[in-house]
Amino acid sequence: MTDALVLKDVRKSYGQREAVHGVSFSVKEGEVFGLIGHNGAGKTTMLRMISTILKVTSGTITVYGHDVMREPDAVREIISYLPEDAGAYKDLTGRKYLEFIADFFTSGDKKNELVQKGIELADLGDRIDSKVDTYSKGMMRRLLIARAIMSSPKLAILDEVTSGLDVINAFEIREVIRGIAEQGMTVIMSSHNMFEVDMICDRVAMVDQGNVVEIGTPAELKEKYGKKTLEEVFVTVVKGA
Amino acid sequence: MSHLLNIVKKEVRELLTPGSVISIMVVIFLFMGLGGFIGGEIEKSAVLPVVGVGNYEEQTLEFDDGEWNVYDTIRGFYTSQGMSKEALDKSVIKIDMNNIEKDIKTYGISVAFIVDDNFKSNILNGIQGTVHQYYVYSPSGMINGSVSTAVADILIQNVNDDLSSHLMGSDDTKAAIKFLVNPITNGGTHTFINGQEYSDVTPAQLDEAMSSQTIMIPMIIMIIIMMIGSMVISSMGSEKENKTLETLLTMPIKRTTIVSGKILAAAIVGLVYGIAYMVGLRFYLNSILSIEGTSSIDLSKYGMALDTFDFVLLTLSMFLAIVCALGICMILGAFAKNFKSAQTMTLPLSLLAIIPMFITMFSGWYGSSMLMKGILFIIPFSHPMLASEALLNNDYTLVLAGIAYMMAFALISILVTVKLYKSDILITGLSQNKYIQKFRGKKI
């Protein structure tokens, strides 16, 4: 299995404050990789660096062999990023929003096919033609997930994709992620929700204060620390309890 | 009370951000500067103008108490206003009858009084003597514009009254009372416009007509820039808040395309608004000007009307000014954290739009000092405001130089915006900048 994503000694400083301290890990092609950690641990910063919207202070990040600093345009061709609590353009309908995004990837009949795929993934029924500002949080997230994966990116970067969603919506979003993983798409996602990560991630990295403090499959980590849940493992790793 | 104080303190802290405090400071300094500028212009307009007098020597009248002529009378009036001898020699100039236009230009004369060849004989025969007024038209602002014509009328009235008092005291004259009261008649005005002499128009009339043509341009530009600027900055704030900008930045498109697309779209909307406002105001002004007694003169008769090419240049100038404004907005918007903070960012832009509007309305390009001209030229929004005035005066150099400057300004602002779009500032804001952190650290 080839490496879809490789981080080598990655550091990120905001002014005088270092938010990420020499992080290294890799994600295999077709893998669903989870970043777990508390608020401000550095998960979003890592995902933003991978997505090319924040600069890497030192170290390297490569996505399918393309360096995010030296070849950002090539990286953007093969990734899709869904920020935490993201929204869409409120004046557009769901369909128009998908058409707007599809325009960046293709045109003509292929664009129509892409939009149709997005509509199916969003599964919003007639509401796809309603204005986005009338959508509930769950509907919005479904639309944005559809937007993120309809172009079949090689690497989907999802930040806190189910945060704030009710049980049903969170379940359905997880089903979608599981579905795309089965199709071979590589996914890196961050989450507070250890249960969610345990269920859908092949491997996880535990992030604390800008460091990756543990990495492995959920089963490996639970076994290593002799805990029943990933949550317990995390608390043990971070707090030393 | 403590709860109220608590809420007030929190609200004040939220409202008085560093950005808003800086904006308030800029407003204070700006209005101080504008106050001084407008005061200076009003003061300048209140000073006695430089006048010329020609053909007066042969038309000198002799009375019991001495000789009387127009030149000495005006000098006497200026002296009575407290003017020194040195200043007097520079303010009341003898005109060479063979070089009226040249002398007016050389000495910076506002109005030249040329005494009619039959003045003396007419007066002696009880017929009103004629004094002609000569001008060289040069564009000026709202305040300066009509000064020379108004002062000329006052001076003629003074000369008239002075001669009248001499005539009334003379035993030799048996003229009618009407003549004694008004021995001088206005021989009409003669205005040189681009070397051509016109005898039916005064500079004040030209300024008035020109103002009616051009006064709406600065206002429209200011309104459009403030409106579009606010829209773009708010849109940037909104994009950041909704994180649609983050999504856009990870799309497979160049940053230059994102920035140019945003600017171009807003500029087109701005131009549509601008043209709509211009058409609307044109109808409004035409309605007012068509009311009896308020009709303006036909500038085309004096070679001062805008043709199709001029309108193309004016539209291009307006479009580029909007693009420049949007370039500034995109730079400011890059620092906006959210929709709310974006609102305070529009103030510097509004101020930049107000400065040229005031200057062009009060003194215009041609009536401004070198410093003011420099300030006007640097602010890109000035150029469409100046363009209409310049085009009416066939000054294509100023218009084309303005267009070239705005193109360069727009390009630089787009490049700066692209640079910002490639940096972390767009996502993290200024608070994470190392220089800002160092500054805050030192401040604490």
Side-chain angles (χ1 to χ4, degrees):
Chain A
M1 223 186 256
T2 55
D3 285 331
L5 171 69
V6 180
L7 282 82
K8 279 187 189 163
D9 194 24
V10 173
R11 292 175 189 274
K12 177 64 193 174
S13 297
Y14 292 122
Q16 295 163 313
R17 184 176 65 85
E18 191 172 81
V20 176
H21 316 289
V23 165
S24 300
F25 65 84
S26 60
V27 178
K28 300 287 176 198
E29 190 171 17
E31 200 173 33
V32 179
F33 191 87
L35 288 175
I36 54 176
H38 51 74
N39 291 329
K43 305 186 297 293
T44 298
T45 298
M46 287 181 206
L47 296 185
R48 281 174 168 171
M49 285 192 287
I50 296 165
S51 308
T52 75
I53 55 175
L54 280 185
K55 288 189 171 175
V56 179
T57 305
S58 71
T60 58
I61 299 177
T62 51
V63 180
Y64 284 91
H66 299 290
D67 188 294
V68 294
M69 291 294 284
R70 283 184 283 136
E71 307 163 88
D73 290 338
V75 172
R76 285 180 209 127
E77 294 278 351
I78 53 173
I79 63 161
S80 186
Y81 174 53
L82 179 56
E84 183 184 4
D85 292 332
Y89 299 105
K90 290 173 182 171
D91 290 332
L92 298 180
T93 62
R95 184 191 298 273
K96 290 283 176 198
Y97 177 67
L98 294 176
E99 284 174 358
F100 169 72
I101 296 295
D103 256 333
F104 295 123
F105 294 93
T106 184
S107 58
D109 287 344
K110 284 189 175 175
K111 180 191 152 186
N112 294 335
E113 284 171 23
L114 201 62
V115 173
Q116 199 51 44
K117 184 181 170 189
I119 291 170
E120 284 165 18
L121 284 165
D123 194 21
L124 292 169
D126 294 343
R127 295 300 305 277
I128 195 72
D129 290 313
S130 300
K131 285 257 177 95
V132 162
D133 64 352
T134 64
Y135 285 6
S136 68
K137 193 167 183 176
M139 290 168 73
M140 176 70 86
R141 200 56 61 89
R142 294 181 74 94
L143 178 72
L144 293 176
I145 284 270
R147 184 278 293 166
I149 60 178
M150 70 178 183
S151 59
S152 304
K154 284 186 161 184
L155 174 67
I157 304 157
L158 311 174
D159 194 3
E160 302 288 356
V161 73
T162 58
S163 78
L165 293 185
D166 59 44
V167 175
I168 302 290
N169 275 307
F171 174 80
E172 286 176 355
I173 296 291
R174 280 196 286 271
E175 287 298 303
V176 173
I177 295 170
R178 237 197 293 264
I180 59 173
E182 281 167 12
Q183 289 167 25
M185 195 182 293
T186 310
V187 178
I188 179 165
M189 56 179 281
S190 73
S191 182
H192 295 109
N193 190 334
M194 309 289 168
F195 167 73
E196 174 178 285
V197 172
D198 198 353
M199 277 203 304
I200 59 176
C201 292
D202 299 315
R203 283 194 307 141
V204 295
M206 293 182 172
V207 184
D208 182 45
Q209 295 179 29
N211 297 296
V212 170
V213 289
E214 193 55 272
I215 196 163
T217 65
E220 281 170 359
L221 294 172
K222 282 186 273 190
E223 190 184 332
K224 182 178 174 182
Y225 289 91
K227 303 290 181 187
K228 288 179 185 167
T229 66
L230 213 49
E231 194 171 58
E232 289 174 307
V233 175
F234 182 73
V235 172
T236 307
V237 171
V238 172
K239 299 273 185 188
Chain B
M1 190 63 190
S2 64
H3 296 308
L4 178 67
L5 192 66
N6 203 21
I7 291 170
V8 169
K9 273 162 63 183
K10 173 246 167 198
E11 290 294 327
V12 168
R13 261 199 306 271
E14 263 182 27
L15 295 170
L16 280 182
T17 58
S20 64
V21 171
I22 291 169
S23 298
I24 291 166
M25 299 300 287
V26 171
V27 171
I28 293 168
F29 285 116
L30 176 75
F31 278 102
M32 281 165 68
L34 273 179
F37 166 70
I38 294 166
E41 287 301 313
I42 292 169
E43 206 170 277
K44 201 163 76 184
S45 68
V47 172
L48 288 168
V50 176
V51 297
V53 185
N55 199 33
Y56 67 90
E57 283 158 325
E58 289 177 7
Q59 306 302 323
T60 299
L61 294 162
E62 287 162 15
F63 293 102
D64 292 343
D65 55 349
E67 291 184 339
W68 183 98
N69 62 48
V70 174
Y71 177 74
D72 289 336
T73 307
I74 291 175
R75 282 174 69 91
F77 174 71
Y78 272 40
T79 307
S80 70
Q81 299 297 310
M83 188 173 276
S84 67
K85 172 79 174 61
E86 285 172 3
L88 196 60
D89 290 341
K90 289 176 185 168
S91 299
V92 185
I93 312 284
K94 291 178 186 176
I95 293 283
D96 175 359
M97 287 303 289
N98 296 318
N99 291 304
I100 299 174
E101 187 184 2
K102 189 183 162 202
D103 277 3
I104 292 175
K105 285 179 177 169
T106 307
Y107 298 110
I109 290 168
S110 297
V111 53
F113 298 108
I114 305 299
V115 183
D116 192 78
D117 288 340
N118 299 319
F119 183 86
K120 185 177 177 180
S121 60
N122 278 358
I123 295 289
L124 292 175
N125 289 312
I127 302 167
Q128 285 180 313
T130 302
V131 175
H132 304 272
Q133 296 175 30
Y134 278 77
Y135 300 92
V136 171
Y137 177 73
S138 63
S140 51
M142 189 189 272
I143 293 178
N144 284 333
S146 57
V147 170
S148 58
T149 320
V151 171
D153 290 340
I154 293 168
L155 285 173
I156 288 284
Q157 189 59 47
N158 270 284
V159 172
N160 180 79
D161 292 349
D162 193 64
L163 181 55
S164 175
S165 66
H166 274 83
L167 290 171
M168 284 196 189
S170 169
D171 294 333
D172 296 333
T173 182
K174 292 174 183 174
I177 291 295
K178 187 184 174 189
F179 163 67
L180 290 174
V181 174
N182 287 305
I184 293 175
T185 182
N186 189 342
T189 54
H190 304 260
T191 304
F192 292 102
I193 304 167
N194 297 322
Q196 181 84 31
E197 184 182 332
Y198 295 91
S199 57
D200 57 347
V201 69
T202 66
Q205 287 172 319
L206 287 170
D207 275 332
E208 188 193 336
M210 209 172 278
S211 289
S212 71
Q213 299 267 329
T214 61
I215 198 160
M216 60 186 174
I217 305 281
M219 286 193 291
I220 290 169
I221 298 293
M222 191 199 68
I223 292 168
I224 297 299
I225 283 170
M226 285 166 73
M227 190 172 67
I228 293 291
S230 173
M231 278 165 58
V232 168
I233 295 182
S234 300
S235 153
M236 287 280 287
S238 182
E239 282 231 40
K240 282 190 176 187
E241 201 166 326
N242 291 328
K243 298 195 177 172
T244 46
L245 189 61
E246 281 187 47
T247 304
L248 204 55
L249 291 174
T250 56
M251 290 289 131
I253 41 169
K254 297 216 172 290
R255 299 288 197 257
T256 323
T257 310
I258 298 175
V259 173
S260 306
K262 279 177 172 287
I263 289 179
L264 194 62
I268 291 168
V269 173
L271 191 65
V272 169
Y273 275 128
I275 291 169
Y277 272 100
M278 276 172 80
V279 171
L281 270 172
R282 186 78 236 153
F283 276 113
Y284 170 73
L285 286 172
N286 281 347
S287 314
I288 291 176
L289 293 172
S290 65
I291 298 166
E292 206 176 336
T294 60
S295 60
S296 190
I297 59 165
D298 181 10
L299 285 172
S300 59
K301 197 173 151 190
Y302 309 100
M304 299 172 83
L306 298 181
D307 58 22
T308 311
F309 179 64
D310 293 339
F311 276 111
V312 170
L313 284 179
L314 191 59
T315 309
L316 177 64
S317 183
M318 192 191 278
F319 180 76
L320 285 170
I322 293 169
V323 173
C324 290
L326 294 170
I328 297 173
C329 289
M330 294 288 281
I331 293 169
L332 292 171
F335 299 107
K337 274 189 267 180
N338 48 39
F339 185 81
K340 191 180 167 190
S341 75
Q343 299 296 311
T344 59
M345 298 273 186
T346 57
L347 198 58
L349 189 81
S350 308
L351 295 175
L352 279 179
I354 288 170
I355 294 170
M357 190 195 78
F358 270 110
I359 298 178
T360 48
M361 284 176 75
F362 280 99
S363 68
W365 171 262
Y366 301 97
S368 293
S369 63
M370 282 307 288
L371 176 68
M372 283 298 166
K373 281 182 177 173
I375 293 170
L376 276 177
F377 200 91
I378 287 169
I379 300 173
F381 322 138
S382 308
H383 293 284
M385 299 183 189
L386 300 172
S388 50
E389 186 190 12
L391 289 170
L392 283 171
N393 289 292
N394 297 319
D395 184 357
Y396 288 93
T397 311
L398 177 63
V399 179
L400 294 174
I403 287 174
Y405 172 72
M406 285 190 289
M407 280 176 154
F409 189 99
L411 188 67
I412 291 168
S413 62
I414 289 173
L415 292 175
V416 170
T417 311
V418 170
K419 185 95 180 151
L420 284 172
Y421 266 59
K422 285 180 176 173
S423 75
D424 290 355
I425 284 180
L426 203 60
I427 304 297
T428 60
L430 272 178
S431 60
Q432 305 287 4
N433 183 276
K434 63 181 174 186
Y435 299 109
I436 297 290
Q437 285 184 349
K438 273 183 189 172
F439 175 73
R440 283 182 175 166
K442 277 180 189 169
K443 224 177 143 187
I444 293 161

